[in-house]
């Protein structure tokens, strides 16, 4: 049984906590520190900021970063009592629970799918780019490596570029993956 299945089948439930956007990791750290200092590990079992690794291309440079699935939200696995509710609500940068004063727990299958996706990284890293129509790019991979081309179309959903390469004095359309080109 995986960690995700064990956590879903326990007596605690997963709740969604609203935070200030951009402060999810700080809320996670603050909450875990406060739980540990008060000895409430049995009541608050886990705090997660659902995120995935993405590959970004900025200025022709590749870099990996974490992108949050739900900016402004943190998942908390807890046995919800008044004390736990107040403990979580009083963490700086927490604005409340989804569901208000009586937060509704997430469905076990939703939690299991989300935790599985986080553990296994099932979704491959997605590439995001800052290429635009008219940009000049240098092809760095494939049969046209070393050529400079002009971007004709950006197909972000397919992670591809349509470019025009001049070969023997004639413009030729070529389709490239984002990772096959860099800013010229």
């Amino acid at each position: 049984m995986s960690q995700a299945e064990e956590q879903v089948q326990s007596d605690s439930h997963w709740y969604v906590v609203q935070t200030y956007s951009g402060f999810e990791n700080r809320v996670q750290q603050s909450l875990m520190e406060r739980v540990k200092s008060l000895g409430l590990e049995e009541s608050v079992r886990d705090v997660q900021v659902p995120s995935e690794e993405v590959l970004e291309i900025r200025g022709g440079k590749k870099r990996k970063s974490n992108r949050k699935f739900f900016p402004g939200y943190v998942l908390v696995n807890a046995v919800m009592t008044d004390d736990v509710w107040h403990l979580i609500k009083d963490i700086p940068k927490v604005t409340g629970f989804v569901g208000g004063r009586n937060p509704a727990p997430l469905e076990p299958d939703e939690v299991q799918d989300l935790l599985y996706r986080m553990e296994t990284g099932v979704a491959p890293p997605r590439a995001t780019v800052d290429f635009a129509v008219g940009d000049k790019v240098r092809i760095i991979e494939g049969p046209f490596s070393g050529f400079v081309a002009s971007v004709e179309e950006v197909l972000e959903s397919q992670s591809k570029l349509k470019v025009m390469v001049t070969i023997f004095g004639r413009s030729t359309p070529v389709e490239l993956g984002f990772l096959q080109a860099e800013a010229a």
Side-chain angles (χ1 to χ4, degrees), residues 97-147:
F97 288 86
V98 171
R101 176 64 182 112
N102 298 313
L106 292 173
E107 293 295 323
D109 57 337
E110 290 177 308
V111 175
Q112 198 164 5
D113 291 345
L114 188 58
L115 292 176
Y116 179 77
R117 185 173 170 196
M118 288 171 53
E119 285 177 10
T120 61
V122 166
R126 293 189 326 238
T128 59
V129 296
D130 59 356
F131 294 119
V133 173
D135 285 354
K136 295 289 184 196
V137 296
R138 178 172 289 103
I139 301 172
I140 59 173
E141 190 177 291
F144 298 101
S145 182
F147 282 81

Side-chain angles (χ1 to χ4, degrees), residues 131-138 148-155 160-165 174 176 181-182:
F131 294 119
V133 173
D135 285 354
K136 295 289 184 196
V137 296
R138 178 172 289 103
V148 174
S150 176
V151 176
E152 294 291 313
E153 190 176 356
V154 178
L155 305 170
K160 294 188 177 191
L161 296 173
K162 286 189 179 179
V163 299
M164 294 300 279
V165 179
V174 176
L176 303 170
E182 66 183 10

Side-chain angles (χ1 to χ4, degrees), residues 5-15 41-45 76-81 105:
E5 290 171 332
E6 287 174 17
Q7 288 177 338
V8 169
Q9 292 178 359
S10 71
D11 60 337
S12 61
H13 299 283
W14 285 92
Y15 297 91
E41 291 91 346
E42 287 298 314
S43 295
V44 179
R45 304 221 170 119
V76 178
N77 184 2
V79 177
M80 193 58 65
T81 63

Side-chain angles (χ1 to χ4, degrees), residues 80-90 97 100-101 103:
M80 193 58 65
T81 63
D82 281 343
D83 290 339
V84 170
W85 187 91
H86 285 289
L87 169 77
I88 295 169
K89 182 74 173 85
D90 292 341
F97 288 86
R101 176 64 182 112

